[in-house]
Amino acid sequence: MKRASVPDVTSTELWVVETAIKERWGAGVVEVQVADSDIRLEPTDREMTSCPTLYWTDDTAHFVIFKVGDGLYRSQFFYSKREQYGTGRREYDDLAECVSLLLKMEADHRSTRPADN
């Protein structure tokens, strides 16, 4: 595993995500956890890079935002190992846009997802 020069999540970044989540689910319903994830920054990378990660879940979906550089983010949501989705955009330089699009894409997907999944 490569040592990343990715800075830690700041209190402002955490606030941005928590604020977007409160708008969707209400205060105190969903808790954001700060973790580290080992990911490939480039598809051709042989080694993984440790990146700060914001993670939360509701009753159905799991959400992650990876901080992959100073002011750079990637995101995805998933229901299981077989059901993993992105937003269609590889990277964001605006965290508010990243989290709001992630939440919108998951809400749209959830509305069309079969109830038995």
Side-chain angles (χ1 to χ4, degrees), residues 2 39-49 74 90-91:
K2 266 197 288 195
I39 65 172
R40 286 186 175 85
L41 292 180
E42 298 299 329
T44 57
D45 285 352
R46 298 182 123 219
E47 293 184 44
M48 307 288 254
T49 299
R74 294 182 189 167
R90 178 175 156 80
E91 219 163 75

Side-chain angles (χ1 to χ4, degrees), residues 4-114:
S5 59
V6 180
D8 286 335
V9 171
T10 66
S11 59
T12 302
E13 290 168 324
L14 184 58
W15 178 85
V16 167
V17 172
E18 288 176 335
T19 300
I21 289 170
K22 285 176 191 170
E23 288 178 11
R24 177 163 175 183
W25 287 289
V29 176
V30 174
E31 180 184 343
V32 178
Q33 297 175 25
V34 180
D36 289 310
S37 297
D38 295 334
I39 65 172
R40 286 186 175 85
L41 292 180
E42 298 299 329
T44 57
D45 285 352
R46 298 182 123 219
E47 293 184 44
M48 307 288 254
T49 299
S50 182
C51 295
T53 305
L54 297 168
Y55 167 81
W56 68 97
T57 187
D58 66 6
D59 291 336
T60 307
H62 302 266
F63 302 83
V64 288
I65 295 179
F66 306 103
K67 185 172 182 178
V68 296
D70 191 15
L72 296 173
Y73 312 93
R74 294 182 189 167
S75 62
Q76 72 179 68
F77 64 93
F78 58 96
Y79 303 104
S80 67
K81 288 181 180 181
R82 291 183 294 145
E83 282 188 285
Q84 297 182 22
Y85 305 94
T87 62
R89 188 164 155 190
R90 178 175 156 80
E91 219 163 75
Y92 296 84
D93 60 6
D94 180 331
L95 181 57
E97 180 183 15
C98 177
V99 68
S100 64
L101 188 55
L102 178 66
L103 293 173
K104 180 182 180 343
M105 295 291 287
E106 192 280 328
D108 290 350
H109 187 273
R110 184 181 298 220
S111 69
T112 62
R113 190 169 181 251

